[in-house]
Amino acid sequence: MQTIDKFNFAGKKAFVRVDFNVPLDENSQITDDTRIRAAMPTLKKILADGGSVIIASHMGRPNKNPDSKYSLKAILPHVSKLLGVNIKFAPDCAGEEAAKMASELKPGEAMMLENLRFYEEEEGKPRGEFATDDEKAAAKKITKENQKKFTAKLASYADCYVNDAFGTAHRAHASTALIANYFDESNKMFGYLMEKEMIAVHKIMTDTARPFTAIMGGSKVSSKIDIIENLLTKVDNLIIAGGMTYTFTKALGGKIGNSLCEDDKLDLALDLLSKAKANNVNIVLAVDAKIADAFSNDANTKFVPVNEIPDGWQGLDIGPKTEKIFAEVIKASKTILWNGPTGVFEFENFTHGSRAVGEAIVEATKKGAFSLVGGGDSVACVNKFGLADGVSYVSTGGGALLEAIEGRVLPGIEAIRGY
Ligand code: AMP
């Protein structure tokens, strides 16, 4: 398989799919540029070799072309600054101008295409309303046909294809997967970020040092079932935290007051607990909670046993006894995966548990554990607490990371690696 390190880009044009889907504020200013920075080593290597880059990304979920709200032009100055070259901008990713700009691109130069998702062909899904299923099926067929032309067009800009968009690797889109078919084995490869993400997932799921502890937080059991089920065949300890706690507590007969609960998932919670037992997995549940008399940072609070929450009160974070139990398990681990906060960390008064978990992970990492933090809110947590440098790896992938942990094949990876 080709690798970015081995490949000499001198005189070559590289189509580089990145994930620059970064958050912008109301003035179109970037509020978190992590994903842009993460792709820089790949882009810089190509230019340093004497190659040129065609940078391609999506941004947001536009449903028409063009849609200025989602224009990548907003991030162009910042990307240029980080890359250290003046990046040219193609106002359309699949129009005549883009093709002309790509054909005129010189070694050492960079251009960026407008938002790929301005075209429905990128995702291969027809947009609009359909009166009948037949109409929808017919539209889908046309979009799929057009997707081939769109993909061929993107591929025609370049001599080689580099996929560095881990955040979008779970999508089988034109620029993330289908385009790879237009390049032979020696001219398609992963970028450095993709490689790092894949190594991190491999270390967690395959090349695992034990004990392996996963901390699953966040709001709902329903959105984490597949991951939890897959983890039950891999981990030694599974710490359940966040809003999910109360569905488990209620299923076990506890009083949870007004805490978040999925009443239709009580049986499932019990089922997961018995599966854990059958697999010899140590499930670690909260024993106490920081409860509040309203869903607000300024609510009155107190600490109570997790299964004795009075009516009118809700658990918004773990309590000190739980923090201690979680920290002990984490500090004795050699592999750690953290997905999801222990409480409503957006409220300052309910960040303590998540911070304690983060700090325990940092301590374990100092002692040689491999720690991976990923999936949206836990990344926001480690950044908020300034702990990102103390963990082994912070993933840029939300959904993609979770699907990889569920054990699914990611189309963006399969398109290059073949499996
Ligand atoms: P997820 O996207 O599933 O990882 O969930 C993250 C969200 O879970 C965050 O916005 C947290 O505020 C929320 N969350 C964590 N703990 C609780 C809780 N005890 N009650 C309500 N929401 C929670």
Side-chain angles (χ1 to χ4, degrees):
M1 207 179 89
Q2 187 56 272
T3 66
I4 181 160
D5 239 6
K6 276 193 303 191
F7 197 84
N8 184 355
F9 290 90
K12 300 257 164 75
K13 288 176 187 159
F15 184 101
V16 187
R17 176 55 156 105
V18 292
D19 186 347
F20 284 175
N21 184 24
V22 291
L24 302 179
D25 65 15
E26 60 281 4
N27 301 316
S28 296
Q29 295 301 306
I30 301 166
T31 54
D32 179 356
D33 69 351
T34 309
R35 285 183 163 178
I36 300 179
R37 287 179 185 277
M40 282 301 141
T42 292
L43 301 176
K44 286 187 174 167
K45 143 86 175 163
I46 298 168
L47 297 182
D49 271 3
S52 53
V53 284
I54 297 144
I55 304 168
S57 179
H58 73 284
M59 161 88 83
R61 295 180 186 275
N63 53 17
K64 57 183 195 285
N65 184 20
D67 185 343
S68 59
K69 195 167 128 203
Y70 297 108
S71 174
L72 282 169
K73 203 163 185 182
I75 68 166
L76 190 72
H78 190 62
V79 183
S80 290
K81 191 168 139 219
L82 291 178
L83 191 56
V85 299
N86 241 333
I87 303 172
K88 299 173 183 178
F89 190 70
D92 182 2
C93 63
E96 283 312 305
E97 208 171 331
K100 187 165 177 285
M101 278 173 76
S103 74
E104 290 169 358
L105 207 59
K106 307 240 167 19
E109 288 185 344
M111 64 180 273
M112 184 150 78
L113 300 175
E114 180 56 290
N115 194 342
L116 294 159
R117 287 199 192 159
F118 280 178
Y119 283 82
E120 63 181 16
E121 288 86 344
E122 165 64 359
E123 293 174 275
K125 279 195 298 220
R127 287 175 183 158
E129 304 283 316
F130 302 99
T132 64
D133 284 351
D134 283 353
E135 250 182 51
K136 192 170 178 188
K140 192 162 181 191
K141 200 159 164 247
I142 295 169
T143 309
K144 285 281 174 202
E145 279 308 309
N146 289 341
Q147 188 180 42
K148 285 186 197 145
K149 289 180 218 148
F150 177 78
T151 313
K153 178 132 206 180
L154 297 180
S156 73
Y157 302 158
D159 305 303
C160 54
Y161 169 66
V162 182
N163 189 351
D164 215 15
F166 183 70
T168 335
H170 57 317
R171 307 282 181 222
H173 293 166
S175 68
T176 61
L178 307 182
I179 191 171
N181 294 326
Y182 293 81
F183 297 89
D184 65 34
E185 286 296 311
S186 59
N187 288 313
K188 55 184 165 194
M189 67 213 87
F190 298 120
Y192 288 121
L193 173 63
M194 255 325 230
E195 285 182 349
K196 278 205 302 191
E197 298 272 3
M198 287 162 64
I199 289 169
V201 171
H202 185 78
K203 276 187 103 137
I204 285 277
M205 303 307 284
T206 314
D207 184 18
T208 325
R210 296 201 173 268
F212 175 13
T213 298
I215 306 119
M216 298 302 293
S219 52
K220 292 180 173 171
V221 193
S222 51
S223 60
K224 308 264 163 115
I225 299 167
D226 291 344
I227 307 162
I228 293 180
E229 288 209 317
N230 195 38
L231 286 173
L232 286 177
T233 65
K234 314 261 188 226
V235 298
D236 302 293
N237 306 299
L238 178 64
I239 295 178
I240 304 271
M244 271 191 280
T245 304
Y246 309 99
T247 302
F248 281 90
T249 306
K250 185 165 178 183
L252 290 168
K255 271 191 72 205
I256 60 162
N258 294 23
S259 305
L260 193 66
C261 182
E262 290 172 279
D263 281 317
D264 58 336
K265 295 288 178 293
L266 297 175
D267 288 343
L268 178 86
L270 291 179
D271 189 40
L272 290 173
L273 292 178
S274 57
K275 274 189 184 146
K277 203 163 183 194
N279 289 352
N280 261 330
V281 171
N282 174 33
I283 292 254
V284 189
L285 289 164
V287 295
D288 60 349
K290 184 170 188 181
I291 60 170
D293 60 358
F295 188 79
S296 151
N297 189 46
D298 306 320
N300 294 307
T301 63
K302 55 185 174 182
F303 295 108
V304 295
V306 74
N307 53 2
E308 292 175 23
I309 302 176
D311 288 341
W313 291 74
Q314 52 191 304
L316 295 187
D317 198 6
I318 53 174
K321 292 191 182 119
T322 306
E323 278 182 15
K324 206 158 161 259
I325 295 169
F326 285 5
E328 267 163 27
V329 174
I330 292 166
K331 284 192 256 175
S333 305
K334 287 275 173 287
T335 302
I336 301 159
L337 168 71
W338 184 20
N339 171 263
T342 66
V344 183
F345 80 107
E346 295 91 336
F347 296 155
E348 205 48 48
N349 290 334
F350 301 96
T351 53
H352 206 274
S354 301
R355 188 189 291 271
V357 162
E359 285 170 353
I361 296 174
V362 169
E363 222 173 287
T365 311
K366 270 194 204 135
K367 287 194 299 180
F370 179 79
S371 52
L372 170 58
V373 180
D377 281 324
S378 18
V379 176
C381 265
V382 290
N383 286 335
K384 182 173 175 144
F385 306 142
L387 301 173
D389 289 342
V391 302
S392 310
Y393 194 70
V394 179
S395 176
T396 60
L401 178 77
L402 299 186
E403 287 199 16
I405 292 167
E406 280 165 26
R408 296 198 211 181
V409 174
L410 307 186
I413 291 177
E414 191 183 20
I416 288 182
R417 193 172 63 178
Y419 61 93

